[in-house]
């Protein structure tokens, strides 16, 4: 229950940005191979690398255990395709926390910006903490 | 736009390790049977984002590399990956393709065996055709 309270207290809080992260050809090739992506561009789910770092920072901050987290939902909307050389920064905000069957359901919204400060991608994630899937 | 033929992908434990390294997601439920079972899962499961990555691969193949404007899904059932050589097969099938103005919306069904593993997987791409 203390966990529920501590998570609920972070709603609407914005966590310190993570990055800058430089999109490199080598990392894109590695990620594409791992997801069977055969295209020439950057795979659309590539931002998860940086979003994962932002999530880990958030979990550490509020004292949640990664192994108790199950990913419930993920949505991306893109302003433009990612490109090699992009310097990306991710800012994570907790949009909602609700309790469901003994688990905390945490809604996060992360914004990826490039070196100019322009938004490249917005990512919404639902993280389920505590209950088995 | 190419023919929207269902795309099949085989996942083994090695593929989960490869994805863990590529993505930086080292949650032990994706490689440790002990941890997965301890938190109530049936066994080691694939990263939801790996399954969504396969969706991205399928969409890219179908559309010939069209610009993706939106993509997402709910992770509704775990993709349990056994510790054997065969692994499991994940199938990504397009169920409805809607063209509107300059976008194409692709609704999908993603299954592991007979089980639907994603809820409302959807992609919106720019219509280059």
């Amino acid at each position: 229950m203390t966990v529920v309270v501590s998570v609920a207290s972070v709603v609407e809080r914005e966590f310190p940005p993570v990055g800058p992260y430089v999109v490199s050809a080598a990392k894109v090739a590695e990620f594409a191979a791992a997801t069977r992506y055969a295209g020439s561009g950057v795979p659309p789910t590539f931002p998860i690398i940086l979003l994962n770092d932002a999530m880990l920072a958030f979990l550490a901050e509020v004292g949640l255990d990664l192994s108790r987290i199950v990913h419930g939902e993920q949505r991306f909307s893109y302003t433009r395709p990612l490109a090699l050389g992009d310097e990306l920064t991710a800012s994570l905000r907790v949009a909602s926390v609700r309790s469901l069957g003994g688990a905390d359901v945490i809604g996060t919204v992360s914004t990826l910006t490039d070196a100019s400060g322009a938004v490249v991608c917005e990512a919404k994630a639902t993280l389920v903490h505590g209950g088995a899937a | 736009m190419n023919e929207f033929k269902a795309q099949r992908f085989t996942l083994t434990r090695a593929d989960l390790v490869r994805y863990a390294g590529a993505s930086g997601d080292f949650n032990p439920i994706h490689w440790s049977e002990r941890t997965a079972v301890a938190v109530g899962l049936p066994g080691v499961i694939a990263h939801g984002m790996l399954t969504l990555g396969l969706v991205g691969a399928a969409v890219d193949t179908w559309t010939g590399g069209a610009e993706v404007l939106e993509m997402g899904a709910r992770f509704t059932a775990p993709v349990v990956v056994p510790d054997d050589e065969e692994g499991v097969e994940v199938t990504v099938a397009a169920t409805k393709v809607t063209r509107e103005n300059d976008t194409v919306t692709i609704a999908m069904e993603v299954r592991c065996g007979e089980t639907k593993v994603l809820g409302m997987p959807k992609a919106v791409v720019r219509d280059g055709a």
Side-chain angles (χ1 to χ4, degrees), chain A residues 108-130:
Chain A
T108 67
V109 179
S110 298
T111 305
L112 250 69
T113 50
D114 63 18
S116 76
V119 174
V120 177
C121 170
E122 186 182 76
K124 293 183 179 177
T126 305
L127 308 173
V128 183
H129 176 267

Side-chain angles (χ1 to χ4, degrees), chain A residues 27 30 34 49, chain B residues 15-26 47:
Chain A
K27 195 64 190 178
E30 182 190 1
I49 293 173
Chain B
D15 294 314
L16 305 193
V17 173
R18 182 189 297 268
Y19 182 78
S23 68
D25 183 346
F26 293 100
H47 307 70

Side-chain angles (χ1 to χ4, degrees), chain A residues 27 30-31 34-37 39 45 48-49 52 66-69 71-78 80-81 132-133, chain B residues 10 15 19 21-25 27 29 39 49-50 53-54 57 60 67-75 120:
Chain A
K27 195 64 190 178
E30 182 190 1
F31 191 88
T35 55
R36 320 287 168 80
Y37 182 85
T45 58
I48 201 66
I49 293 173
N52 194 56
L66 177 64
S67 71
R68 302 288 293 173
I69 294 283
H71 204 167
E73 180 170 9
Q74 182 72 49
R75 301 207 169 267
F76 298 96
S77 59
Y78 310 88
R80 64 164 174 84
Chain B
T10 300
D15 294 314
Y19 182 78
S23 68
D25 183 346
N27 189 328
I29 64 173
V39 299
M49 284 306 299
L50 171 52
L54 300 178
D60 184 78
E67 180 186 348
V68 178
L69 304 173
E70 291 174 35
M71 200 171 86
R74 286 186 291 117
F75 304 109
M120 292 185 291

Side-chain angles (χ1 to χ4, degrees), chain A residues 1 8 13 20-21 24 33 35 46 56 59 74 80 82 112 115 130:
Chain A
M1 284 301 106
R13 183 166 147 203
Y21 175 90
S24 73
T35 55
F46 188 85
L56 291 175
L59 295 181
Q74 182 72 49
R80 64 164 174 84
L82 270 68
L112 250 69

Side-chain angles (χ1 to χ4, degrees), chain A residues 1-19:
Chain A
M1 284 301 106
T2 53
V3 168
V4 174
V5 171
S6 75
V7 175
S9 69
V10 298
V11 174
E12 289 307 320
R13 183 166 147 203
E14 186 141 346
F15 288 81
V18 174

Side-chain angles (χ1 to χ4, degrees), chain B residues 104-122:
Chain B
V104 180
T105 300
I106 306 167
M108 287 161 272
E109 195 169 270
V110 179
R111 290 181 183 268
C112 177
E114 295 300 307
T115 308
K116 276 192 209 177
V117 294
L118 296 184
M120 292 185 291
K122 190 184 88 168

